[in-house]
């Protein structure tokens, strides 16, 4: 499987074979010892965000922001399925066709930007749809197990 790894805005392509070839030894849950080109590196995982597939690591005391996109992320981007994910605060629409697995908010609930709203199953993956702004849930236009189309109104906000 191919990966596109962004390290502090510089993009690098890698494969599972590349990862397997690393001489990386775990010291504990967040610290690793890496040998590369006959040089030793102390690697520490400082922060992980599995939802956004990103992390902050320290290599010999220098911090780096890393984002990882796998083949599925690249395919979704190429197909343009993420082009409609940014919504106005007053409405949340389906960013892609799929099935509503779980609704995580209630009518009248006050939410902040980044609040998980619902789980949408699409392309055999579960996607957590987050609020793009703050507001109050005015109405929920779908139910659990409803099929939705791209751009369909899901939640009205006020």
């Amino acid at each position: 499987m191919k990966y596109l790894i962004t390290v502090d805005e510089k993009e690098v392509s890698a494969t599972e074979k590349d990862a397997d070839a690393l001489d990386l030894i775990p010291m504990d849950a967040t610290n690793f010892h890496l040998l590369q080109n006959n040089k030793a590196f102390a690697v520490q995982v400082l922060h992980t965000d599995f939802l956004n597939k990103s992390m902050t690591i320290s290599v010999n005391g220098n911090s780096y922001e890393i984002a990882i996109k796998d083949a599925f992320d690249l395919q979704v981007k190429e197909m343009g399925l993420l082009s409609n994910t940014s919504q106005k605060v007053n409405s949340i629409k389906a960013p892609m066709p799929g099935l509503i697995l779980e609704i995580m908010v209630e009518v009248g609930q006050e939410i902040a930007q980044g609040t998980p709203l619902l789980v949408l199953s699409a392309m055999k993956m579960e996607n957590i749809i987050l609020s793009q702004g703050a507001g109050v849930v005015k109405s929920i236009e779908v139910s659990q197990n409803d099929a939705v189309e791209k751009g369909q109104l899901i939640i009205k906000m006020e």
Side-chain angles (χ1 to χ4, degrees):
M1 179 177 283
K2 286 189 174 186
Y3 298 93
L4 181 63
I5 303 168
T6 305
V7 180
D8 288 340
E9 300 183 17
K10 180 182 177 187
E11 293 184 344
V12 178
S13 294
T15 64
E16 286 184 40
K17 187 177 179 181
D18 295 328
D20 290 340
L22 288 176
D23 189 358
L24 188 68
I25 301 169
M27 306 308 281
D28 59 38
T30 60
N31 292 289
F32 301 85
H33 184 265
L34 172 68
L35 284 176
Q36 181 73 25
N37 298 328
N38 296 322
K39 293 181 183 175
F41 299 91
V43 179
Q44 181 182 21
V45 177
L46 301 174
H47 174 75
T48 57
D49 181 352
F50 292 108
L51 183 62
N52 293 311
K53 298 181 180 176
S54 64
M55 66 175 51
T56 304
I57 65 168
S58 170
V59 179
N60 290 348
N62 298 312
S63 291
Y64 300 95
E65 297 291 326
I66 298 176
I68 301 171
K69 292 183 180 171
D70 61 21
F72 300 112
D73 297 321
L74 297 173
Q75 183 179 22
V76 166
K77 181 179 179 183
E78 184 179 310
M79 293 172 67
L81 295 176
L82 296 178
S83 62
N84 199 19
T85 57
S86 178
Q87 304 297 326
K88 294 180 183 177
V89 177
N90 62 357
S91 66
I92 306 296
K93 297 180 181 177
M96 63 190 81
L99 181 69
I100 304 294
L101 295 182
E102 180 182 356
I103 299 173
M104 305 163 92
V105 293
E106 297 176 357
V107 173
Q109 180 177 343
E110 191 171 325
I111 59 172
Q113 182 174 349
T115 301
L117 301 172
L118 55 95
V119 179
L120 177 69
S121 174
M123 296 174 45
K124 298 183 182 180
M125 295 186 337
E126 292 183 5
N127 303 281
I128 298 174
I129 307 302
L130 305 175
S131 172
Q132 297 299 311
V136 177
V137 177
K138 183 176 179 181
S139 67
I140 300 173
E141 304 294 318
V142 295
S143 300
Q144 188 171 346
N145 297 321
D146 281 359
V148 296
E149 294 299 321
K150 179 179 179 180
Q152 180 178 335
L153 181 64
I154 297 174
I155 297 175
K156 286 185 184 177
M157 304 281 292
E158 48 183 27

